[in-house]
């Protein structure tokens, strides 16, 4: 194997590894058409006495909810955070379910 072939193979391997590293380090968004999120943040403060003073601990919790459901995902229902289907899909009763569709929702189908 000559030096040029080894150099080309080495460069190709480095490019592939660099691309894999980039995608692992950076969040790649989903490819859904409609992406909208709601973020709820709860701040809880716990104050407790310690020797010689007061210690305050603040705990922040952030939960992200997507408002859209993709194909085969749960949608609808009688809740404040009910998801709607992405463009081109409709929320339909889950096949075989005997639960009331208006209360429990269904799944997104074409």
């Amino acid at each position: 194997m000559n030096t040029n072939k080894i150099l080309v193979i080495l460069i190709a391997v480095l490019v592939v590894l660099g691309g894999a590293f980039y995608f692992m380090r950076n969040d790649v968004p989903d490819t859904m058409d409609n992406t909208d999120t709601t973020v709820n943040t709860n701040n809880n403060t716990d104050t407790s006495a310690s020797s010689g003073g007061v210690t305050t601990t603040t705990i922040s919790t952030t939960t992200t909810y997507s408002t859209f459901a993709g194909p085969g995902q749960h949608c609808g229902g009688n809740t404040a955070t009910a998801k709607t289907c992405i463009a081109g899909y409709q929320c339909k009763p889950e096949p075989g379910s005997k639960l009331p569709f208006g209360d429990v929702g269904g799944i997104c189908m074409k």
Side-chain angles (χ1 to χ4, degrees), residues 23-40:
F23 285 111
M24 287 178 12
R25 297 283 297 175
N26 298 306
D27 289 334
V28 179
D30 292 334
T31 56
M32 288 186 175
D33 296 330
N34 302 322
T35 53
D36 185 19
T37 57
T38 304
V39 177
N40 294 333

Side-chain angles (χ1 to χ4, degrees), residues 10-68:
L10 181 62
I11 290 172
V13 168
L14 288 175
V15 167
V16 169
L17 290 176
F21 180 77
Y22 173 79
F23 285 111
M24 287 178 12
R25 297 283 297 175
N26 298 306
D27 289 334
V28 179
D30 292 334
T31 56
M32 288 186 175
D33 296 330
N34 302 322
T35 53
D36 185 19
T37 57
T38 304
V39 177
N40 294 333
T41 302
N42 300 321
N43 291 321
N44 301 321
T45 304
D46 178 23
T47 305
S48 57
S50 65
S51 60
V54 175
T55 303
T56 303
T57 304
T58 303
I59 301 169
S60 294
T61 305
T62 303
T63 307
T64 304
Y65 299 99
S66 174
T67 57
F68 295 101

